[in-house]
Amino acid sequence: MNARQPWRPTPLITASMALHASAAGAMLWHPSAWPWWLAGLVADHAVLAAAGLWPRSRLLGPNWTRLPDAAAAYGSVAITIDDGPDPEVTPRVLDQLDAAGARATFFCIGSEARRHPALCREIVARGHAVENHSQHHHHSFSLRGPVALAREVDAAQRTLAEITGMTPRFFRAPAGLRNPFLEPVLHRRNLTLASWTRRAFDTRQNDPSRVLEVLSRNLAGGDILLLHDAHAARTSSGAPVILEVLPDLLAAIRQRGLNTVTLAEALMPQPADFQS
């Protein structure tokens, strides 16, 4: 990715900062009006929280919900796989991808990569990408301040770069949840936030047909699809859902004349760089 311009807050963040500054000044000059300013601040924080709870939102900063236009026009889609590496599921996912000649982006948790470094290296060796999904995948990630967020992002960057020899270029927040402090952290590290076009909640939905239907509905170039190797729901027979869904999903991609790329490959300017 090219060097970025200095970080600039979004209009929502700018308005929030202005509101806080105005409230501080107004409460000094007109203390009796504090209930009105307090109500405004509470409403502002509610809007910011709602934006952070919407994984596909761009209200807090740039966010990939689709591939760039050039990749979309070439019929490329991205399969992204979260929460691994998982020693039981990930090797079988890699075999399924190999069988279809497909590539995927694995958003790995740093602590899990540390536990299974050989598997993380295998992902890269087979032509896929490993990206940053935080060091510990804390459920409280979106409630943390800038120092704690930076610590999580940096630890995963170091871990994954050390193991794979490749520095991650994309970040996905745990569960897609974040707060206004995250984007400045990512910007300073030249990381791009990536969410998805659609997901099928395959950590909870144990019916492979329903997961497949959601992911393949109106499938088109530019889509970013989300699945999980670790924390995958189990079918009635005990199989991880992703292993039941992925072969049919890859077949649907081929049938529509589409091709799979990693998120980083979607930035390549020449169609010759894309492979189905």
Side-chain angles (χ1 to χ4, degrees):
M1 297 179 187
N2 296 329
R4 299 186 177 185
Q5 299 297 318
W7 176 74
R8 293 182 179 179
T10 65
L12 177 62
I13 301 299
T14 300
S16 177
M17 295 166 62
L19 177 63
H20 280 73
S22 298
M27 291 178 72
L28 289 175
W29 289 102
H30 302 285
S32 61
W34 70 265
W36 295 99
W37 287 107
L38 180 60
L41 293 175
V42 169
D44 173 70
H45 281 249
V47 171
L48 292 174
L53 292 172
W54 180 15
R56 289 164 45 82
S57 167
R58 294 186 177 89
L59 294 172
L60 301 181
N63 185 8
W64 273 32
T65 61
R66 291 181 57 80
L67 300 180
D69 290 344
Y74 196 68
S76 298
V77 299
I79 295 172
T80 62
I81 301 172
D82 284 14
D83 291 3
D86 180 279
E88 175 193 358
V89 181
T90 307
R92 297 162 70 185
V93 168
L94 291 173
D95 288 343
Q96 290 181 347
L97 291 168
D98 281 354
R103 287 192 289 234
T105 299
F106 289 77
F107 279 94
C108 292
I109 300 170
S111 60
E112 293 303 309
R114 184 67 70 189
R115 290 177 61 193
H116 310 290
L119 184 51
C120 211
R121 286 190 287 268
E122 182 71 11
I123 292 171
V124 174
R126 295 212 200 181
H128 309 291
V130 168
E131 302 294 352
N132 189 329
H133 199 34
S134 81
Q135 181 69 8
H136 297 101
H137 202 274
H138 291 301
H139 293 301
S140 60
F141 180 85
S142 64
L143 302 177
R144 301 188 175 207
V147 174
L149 293 178
R151 188 181 302 121
E152 273 290 298
V153 172
D154 287 344
Q157 282 290 93
R158 290 192 300 269
T159 297
L160 298 174
E162 175 187 328
I163 291 171
T164 68
M166 304 289 290
T167 301
R169 302 168 71 179
F170 292 86
F171 179 82
R172 178 170 286 161
L177 307 181
R178 61 201 191 282
N179 64 38
F181 298 122
L182 179 60
E183 175 53 29
V185 170
L186 299 182
H187 188 275
R188 287 193 291 271
R189 288 150 182 82
N190 207 31
L191 280 164
T192 297
L193 182 70
S195 57
W196 48 81
T197 307
R198 67 178 67 86
R199 61 176 173 178
F201 297 96
D202 61 313
T203 58
R204 302 195 302 270
Q205 174 57 260
N206 65 358
D207 184 342
S209 64
R210 293 188 179 183
V211 173
L212 178 63
E213 195 278 329
V214 171
L215 294 179
S216 60
R217 184 193 307 134
N218 300 321
L219 187 63
D223 283 350
I224 300 174
L225 308 178
L226 170 59
L227 284 162
H228 293 78
D229 48 1
H231 306 140
R234 300 280 172 152
T235 67
S236 57
S237 63
V241 165
I242 186 173
L243 298 179
E244 300 293 318
V245 170
L246 190 56
D248 290 336
L249 177 62
L250 293 170
I253 291 171
R254 290 194 302 273
Q255 289 167 5
R256 287 165 171 78
L258 304 172
N259 62 89
T260 58
V261 295
T262 67
L263 295 182
E265 286 173 331
L267 292 166
M268 294 180 179
Q270 298 299 321
D273 291 325
F274 295 104
Q275 298 179 16
S276 59

